[in-house]
Amino acid sequence: MTILRQSGSAYLFLLFLPAVLAISALALGSLQHYERLRSDEAELLRVGGEFRRAIIHYRDAAMPRMYPRTLEDLLLDGRAGRMQRHLRKIYVDPMTGKAEWGLVLEEGYIVGVHSLSQRAPLKVSGFDPDDADFESAARHADWVFRARVVPHAPGLPGRAPSQGAAGG
């Protein structure tokens, strides 16, 4: 009689073991998925910050101050009489896996970039001051990495018509 009970419990154990292992594997996969998304969002914040700094550096590198017309202008800039690099490369958007970015244009000049991802972000708080507006974002595409405005700078897009428009 004892032998039958032991073999029955062993059989039940063998039935439940794969189910427990499958549930554990699914939980681990889910944790890894969310960790990858968090990592991709952190990379988006880093890369977006690089674009923002490059746009600002481009704007301030030569007189008259102006924003770039294309992202490629950030790679090699010859406006100051010498070639200057404001950005090493056009980075891949970590959320889409493509080197395509949404551009924020004013009068034909790039003043910011954003991801093309329509996913809702996991990160909703705890942003740096430059990215504080991201807390109200419903999707990654709403995370706009925009150059800070220079007050009273003639020749820049977004100014009143009396201050002039950006030149090419």
Side-chain angles (χ1 to χ4, degrees), residues 43-161:
E43 181 68 2
L44 177 59
L45 290 169
R46 185 191 72 77
V47 168
E50 288 291 322
F51 274 111
R52 178 189 290 133
R53 283 185 290 281
I55 292 168
I56 292 169
H57 194 259
Y58 181 96
R59 177 193 68 200
D60 297 341
M63 288 299 184
R65 287 182 168 181
M66 59 192 305
Y67 289 97
R69 287 195 180 272
T70 68
L71 291 179
E72 288 74 20
D73 289 345
L74 299 172
L75 301 178
L76 285 176
D77 175 15
R79 295 174 302 147
R82 61 181 168 77
M83 295 309 277
Q84 193 171 7
R85 293 176 78 80
H86 305 286
L87 196 64
R88 289 186 316 122
K89 63 180 183 174
I90 304 298
Y91 292 98
V92 170
D93 178 350
M95 304 314 296
T96 64
K98 299 176 183 173
E100 296 176 33
W101 294 88
L103 303 177
V104 180
L105 299 173
E106 287 185 8
E107 299 178 19
Y109 293 89
I110 299 172
V111 297
V113 299
H114 61 84
S115 173
L116 296 175
S117 172
Q118 299 301 311
R119 283 186 167 169
L122 294 177
K123 184 176 176 89
V124 294
S125 65
F127 291 97
D128 289 337
D130 285 341
D131 302 329
D133 294 342
F134 297 176
E135 292 188 10
S136 61
R139 56 199 176 118
H140 291 115
D142 297 332
W143 288 9
V144 177
F145 300 93
R146 185 184 183 99
R148 291 178 301 280
V149 175
V150 177
H152 309 297
L156 292 179
R159 304 289 154 251

Side-chain angles (χ1 to χ4, degrees), residues 29-46:
S30 179
L31 287 174
Q32 289 175 340
H33 171 75
Y34 284 110
E35 182 58 35
R36 186 181 57 77
L37 285 177
R38 278 188 211 94
S39 174
D40 288 348
E41 284 184 355
E43 181 68 2
L44 177 59
L45 290 169
R46 185 191 72 77

